[in-house]
Amino acid sequence: MNKLVLSVFFLLNIGLISSQNKLTHEVYFDTDKYDVPPTEENRLLLFISTITDIDIESISIYGFCDDVGANSYNLKLSQQRANAIKAIFANNEMNEDLITNVDGKGEILLKIVNEKNILKIRGLNRKVEIIVKPKPPKTEEDKKEEAVVEEKKQTVEEQLKGELKVGDKITFDNILFKTGYSTVTPDSKKVLESIAKILVERDDIYFTIQGHVCCTQFSRDAVDRKTKKRNLSEARAKYVYDYFAKKGVNTKRMRHLGLRRKFPLGGDPKLDRRVEILITYVGSN
């Protein structure tokens, strides 16, 4: 339609883009395309990695087109672009429940300061705008309640030292994985080392290490960002298996298995990025 409306009217729909309380990111697309270019996907994954440790209240995804083409075509294309970004979030363990808006806004044409080239302006309008709103800081009362709940929990170490039977499942609550990766956080590695020492001594049990992922669609596995393969739950289980083996746990006593997103816990999504062990045999010391 080539309407050269030099305005920033899309800010009417996203009026808080400049707010200090929000984080934003833009993904740019090729003409008439809604598949994300590799360089833009890499930029998006880097942005996702920066927000994984943030307590997020909501994520909004808005798709746009330039001013070329019919209104109906541009509206559909902008929605496809927004949907493509939502899929990448899901494949990389971002909780879909946090995504409150996935909207195609159609065509726009921004006024770019000191820019005369209309092709460059149009290129900047073929995009998706992502707005992340963090939750307000926790109150002292919230922190106290969480501390009480944690105190009442039996630790993994206590469970492993206690009486066990076939079918028992022990979730490694304090072993947290980096979003999109099979490696654990530095603090988690200390806990993993403590568990490994107990398992070396507790040689009467055999077990399966089960890996899980968070937030993917249709119970699919997530993509391992390091290898680009869709087998992240298996990679997490294998990581723990290899770690235990390195610390002296007999490999004949354990196996590893990826369970994709078949068994979400229903609480904090980060707890679904987990590994647990299923006791398969208990012998005598």
Side-chain angles (χ1 to χ4, degrees):
M1 297 183 64
N2 296 325
K3 291 187 295 185
L4 303 183
V5 182
L6 300 179
S7 63
V8 196
F9 73 85
F10 75 103
L11 288 178
L12 296 175
N13 294 312
I14 316 174
L16 299 174
I17 190 170
S18 62
S19 170
Q20 294 181 349
N21 295 325
K22 290 178 172 58
L23 301 170
T24 65
H25 182 77
E26 293 175 337
V27 178
Y28 295 97
F29 292 80
D30 296 328
T31 304
D32 291 335
K33 302 291 185 182
Y34 60 87
D35 52 321
V36 182
T39 54
E40 289 299 301
E41 183 170 357
N42 289 336
R43 288 182 60 247
L44 176 59
L45 293 178
L46 181 61
F47 174 73
I48 290 174
S49 70
T50 65
I51 64 174
T52 52
D53 294 329
I54 296 173
D55 199 7
I56 297 173
E57 181 174 302
S58 65
I59 300 173
S60 297
I61 301 173
Y62 298 102
F64 299 97
C65 298
D66 59 32
D67 64 318
V68 178
N71 281 335
S72 58
Y73 175 84
N74 285 337
L75 191 61
K76 179 180 179 181
L77 181 58
S78 65
Q79 184 65 55
Q80 290 171 320
R81 286 173 175 169
N83 292 341
I85 298 304
K86 180 184 177 183
I88 291 177
F89 269 79
N91 287 335
N92 287 275
E93 296 196 297
M94 292 300 295
N95 184 9
E96 282 192 77
D97 291 340
L98 296 174
I99 302 176
T100 55
N101 294 291
V102 186
D103 296 330
K105 296 296 185 181
E107 65 183 53
I108 59 173
L109 189 63
L110 300 180
K111 179 178 180 180
I112 308 298
V113 177
N114 297 326
E115 181 56 68
K116 305 293 184 181
N117 189 330
I118 193 65
L119 296 180
K120 288 184 180 180
I121 295 175
R122 285 176 174 148
L124 292 171
N125 297 330
R126 296 190 293 269
K127 68 176 184 178
V128 163
E129 177 81 40
I130 301 160
I131 302 176
V132 177
K133 180 181 178 182
K135 286 183 179 178
K138 292 180 180 178
T139 66
E140 288 301 317
E141 190 63 31
D142 291 335
K143 294 177 182 178
K144 288 179 182 178
E145 290 180 5
E146 290 179 356
V148 170
V149 172
E150 285 298 318
E151 282 183 14
K152 292 180 179 180
K153 280 186 180 178
Q154 188 180 30
T155 68
V156 173
E157 292 88 342
E158 290 171 339
Q159 293 178 70
L160 288 173
K161 290 178 180 178
E163 183 177 347
L164 295 171
K165 63 182 183 298
V166 174
D168 282 347
K169 188 180 292 184
I170 301 172
T171 300
F172 294 174
D173 292 326
N174 294 325
I175 306 290
L176 299 180
F177 287 86
K178 298 177 182 177
T179 304
Y181 292 93
S182 62
T183 52
V184 298
T185 61
D187 288 341
S188 295
K189 186 164 281 190
K190 297 175 184 177
V191 180
L192 201 57
E193 183 175 7
S194 174
I195 294 172
K197 289 179 180 178
I198 296 172
L199 289 173
V200 170
E201 298 173 359
R202 189 76 194 260
D203 59 4
D204 62 320
I205 59 173
Y206 290 66
F207 54 90
T208 298
I209 302 166
Q210 300 177 336
H212 301 263
V213 298
C214 161
C215 312
T216 57
Q217 295 175 314
F218 314 119
S219 302
R220 302 176 75 189
D221 212 334
V223 175
D224 187 330
R225 293 189 202 168
K226 184 177 181 180
T227 64
K228 309 301 182 185
K229 295 180 180 178
R230 190 180 288 279
N231 65 344
L232 185 55
S233 65
E234 170 61 24
R236 284 175 173 163
K238 182 66 162 54
Y239 173 89
V240 173
Y241 175 94
D242 289 341
Y243 185 88
F244 286 164
K246 183 179 178 181
K247 294 296 181 179
V249 181
N250 190 334
T251 56
K252 293 181 179 179
R253 295 171 45 211
M254 56 181 179
R255 58 189 293 261
H256 54 85
L257 180 67
L259 293 180
R260 307 195 305 253
R261 197 201 172 203
K262 290 183 177 179
F263 305 102
L265 296 178
D268 191 330
K270 72 179 181 181
L271 299 180
D272 283 335
R273 297 191 285 269
R274 73 187 191 276
V275 158
E276 60 203 10
I277 64 172
L278 176 68
I279 305 299
T280 57
Y281 177 79
V282 180
S284 56
N285 287 315

